[in-house]
Amino acid sequence: MAKRLDREQWSVFQSELYQTNTTVVVTEDLILITDPTWLPAEIEEIKNFVEERKKGQPVYLLLTHSDFDHIIGAGAFPEATIIASRGFNARSDKEEIVQEMKEFDEAYYIHRSYEALYPKPDIIIDSDEQVLEEGETKITFYLAPGHTVDGLAAVVEPLGLCIAGDYLSNVEIPIIEYHSESYQFTLKKLDELWKDGKYSTVIPGHGLVASKPEEIERRLRDSEWYIENTKKSLEDPYVESAIFAFIDRHKFEAPLKQVHADNKEQLKTER
């Protein structure tokens, strides 16, 4: 069973795997499910939760990006209206992403009641501040490339809730799969939204929810510091010791050191 954090109008289900979060927002106007994952029993728990709270509202499924762990449960919600970015819809490697899902299930002998398919968005987000409104509930979307090319963040404005995708985690360092400058631009965007009071709670793709202002501020600054100093480390190896000290503050440091090595290789390709 997933760990669960409940608030009046939203809940976060955290998988046993990689502390991956599924957010469910329930208002009188709509139900929003974000990135349902990982294991069949965990996804079934989310489905039951949604069914118990449905009172005729439309159900939306937000996919923050196309990493397979964030879309592996999408097939369990066939009636939901899917929301994703233009980049998500335009990916040329959809078959490879589906194959990753299949290989994961095969490796662990997992059977699902739905087929592994790449989700087809019904609502495509093309630009920042694109809005979905149902009654009194307003969700504003922001393009968030950097981790991947197709990232998407959302702010549920009446609730002060920022669904950040794979940004601002307390258990992971920035993972730069697409481009560091795009990642920094997304951080700047999230920082500006924070300073403008658009949100008061951050739900990352992995790790703990952050609601204390000092914690949100720390995650923003830490992410900026890490990318800036990783760039410096390509020219100045003495900076590396400070980065390893930063990584050592995290509980699961061994895989993060590999992430850091991969990030450095990515930065080299950008030069």
Side-chain angles (χ1 to χ4, degrees):
M1 301 292 282
K3 294 180 182 177
R4 198 166 110 195
L5 173 66
D6 291 316
R7 294 294 182 262
E8 185 176 353
Q9 291 183 287
W10 55 269
S11 296
V12 175
F13 296 77
Q14 187 173 92
S15 173
E16 292 285 348
L17 300 179
Y18 300 102
Q19 297 187 23
T20 314
N21 293 324
T22 296
T23 304
V24 181
V25 175
V26 181
T27 73
E28 293 181 358
D29 309 305
L30 60 76
I31 295 177
L32 177 71
I33 308 160
T34 304
D35 296 348
T37 196
W38 267 86
L39 302 173
E42 295 172 335
I43 293 168
E44 191 65 25
E45 183 181 356
I46 296 164
K47 281 182 64 178
N48 292 338
F49 179 89
V50 170
E51 287 299 319
E52 289 169 3
R53 285 153 182 78
K54 277 175 67 174
K55 297 177 181 176
Q57 315 99 306
V59 177
Y60 293 93
L61 177 59
L62 168 62
L63 302 173
T64 63
H65 61 293
S66 57
D67 280 350
F68 87 94
D69 57 320
H70 289 259
I71 66 173
I72 198 167
F77 301 90
E79 297 178 1
T81 299
I82 298 175
I83 305 169
S85 71
R86 176 72 63 183
F88 181 102
N89 192 52
R91 289 199 72 119
S92 61
D93 58 347
K94 295 174 184 176
E95 290 183 6
E96 289 88 339
I97 295 169
V98 170
Q99 187 60 30
E100 285 185 284
M101 291 190 275
K102 291 179 178 178
E103 288 175 358
F104 172 81
D105 284 352
E106 288 173 3
Y108 296 100
Y109 304 167
I110 290 172
H111 173 73
R112 298 179 190 270
S113 60
Y114 54 90
E115 188 178 356
L117 296 172
Y118 191 91
K120 181 176 176 56
D122 302 293
I123 297 174
I124 293 175
I125 307 302
D126 286 301
S127 59
D128 288 344
E129 299 186 347
Q130 197 167 326
V131 170
L132 170 68
E133 271 188 284
E134 293 278 2
E136 299 298 315
T137 304
K138 179 180 178 182
I139 304 171
T140 306
F141 301 97
Y142 299 89
L143 302 179
H147 168 59
T148 59
V149 67
D150 55 6
L152 191 63
V155 174
V156 188
E157 294 182 26
L159 308 181
L161 196 64
C162 176
I163 300 169
D166 276 0
Y167 296 91
L168 306 185
S169 171
N170 70 310
V171 294
E172 294 180 339
I173 62 174
I175 301 173
I176 309 165
E177 295 178 359
Y178 173 53
H179 202 284
S180 64
E181 288 186 6
S182 295
Y183 201 116
Q184 289 173 304
F185 187 74
T186 293
L187 289 175
K188 182 179 179 183
K189 193 181 300 184
L190 293 171
D191 193 15
E192 289 172 352
L193 292 170
W194 163 242
K195 289 175 179 174
D196 289 344
K198 295 293 186 181
Y199 63 87
S200 55
T201 296
V202 168
I203 303 176
H206 305 266
L208 295 177
V209 173
S211 295
K212 293 181 179 179
E214 59 270 24
E215 175 63 14
I216 297 172
E217 185 75 17
R218 184 185 69 79
R219 294 189 191 187
L220 285 163
R221 301 290 86 80
D222 279 357
S223 296
E224 292 168 352
W225 180 92
Y226 170 77
I227 296 176
E228 289 171 3
N229 282 274
T230 300
K231 288 183 174 182
K232 289 178 184 177
S233 74
L234 299 181
E235 305 294 340
D236 182 1
Y238 291 104
V239 177
E240 195 82 339
S241 60
I243 294 172
F244 279 126
F246 170 73
I247 292 172
D248 286 345
R249 284 172 29 195
H250 295 74
K251 185 174 182 181
F252 306 102
E253 60 185 80
L256 296 186
K257 287 179 179 176
Q258 182 59 54
V259 167
H260 175 59
D262 293 342
N263 284 342
K264 290 184 71 173
E265 290 303 311
Q266 169 62 30
L267 291 175
K268 289 175 184 177
T269 69
E270 296 174 12
R271 298 171 75 181

